[in-house]
Amino acid sequence: MTLTPGAYLKRRRTAAGFGVEDVAGVLSTDPQIAWHERAAWIMRIEADIAPASWTTIVALRQHFPFDLTVLERLLLIHLGADLPAPRLCRICASSDTGPIGIAVPAWGWDKPDLCISCASAS
């Protein structure tokens, strides 16, 4: 099953060790909205109920790593494009190029859907 864009962001946030509250506490909005409203907004993005603007994507990426190429591919698939799904770890959603889309020399796979980092943690 291919992850949705929101589910991908949620897995990457979780893999970075952040809760919704953590991210809501550091994101700023214009106009300024209350912390609990920012948390609800992030949950709507992660549930694919609300779209994330480019500004929001950039702001989120400043707080936890994710691969923009993977996010784009998942969005295109979600919108109906007939593309192959990216290879992602079933736990942390890292891709073939590592957790942030930059080739990492020690990056690899323990199983087809399990990265070496998550395999060694379990």
Side-chain angles (χ1 to χ4, degrees):
M1 180 175 100
T2 303
L3 288 178
T4 64
Y8 171 70
L9 290 173
K10 182 176 182 177
R11 282 211 192 153
R12 293 303 308 139
R13 174 186 53 74
T14 303
F18 296 116
V20 170
E21 301 80 11
D22 300 319
V23 177
V26 295
L27 280 183
S28 61
T29 58
D30 186 20
Q32 183 65 32
I33 60 174
W35 170 88
H36 70 279
E37 291 174 342
R38 288 193 307 272
W41 171 57
I42 293 166
M43 288 188 283
R44 286 192 305 274
I45 289 170
E46 292 181 349
D48 298 291
I49 296 169
S53 69
W54 176 247
T55 304
T56 301
I57 291 167
V58 170
L60 290 173
R61 195 158 187 249
Q62 290 176 354
H63 299 290
F64 60 92
F66 56 89
D67 186 335
L68 292 171
T69 303
V70 169
L71 184 62
E72 176 188 29
R73 172 68 57 103
L74 293 174
L75 178 59
L76 290 170
I77 292 168
H78 187 70
L79 294 174
D82 186 21
L83 298 168
R87 181 180 186 183
L88 299 174
C89 175
R90 69 177 181 249
I91 297 172
C92 73
S94 289
S95 65
D96 278 325
T97 54
I100 59 171
I102 300 169
V104 179
W107 192 252
W109 297 94
D110 185 68
K111 295 182 180 167
D113 65 344
L114 185 65
C115 75
I116 56 174
S117 179
C118 290
S120 65
S122 45

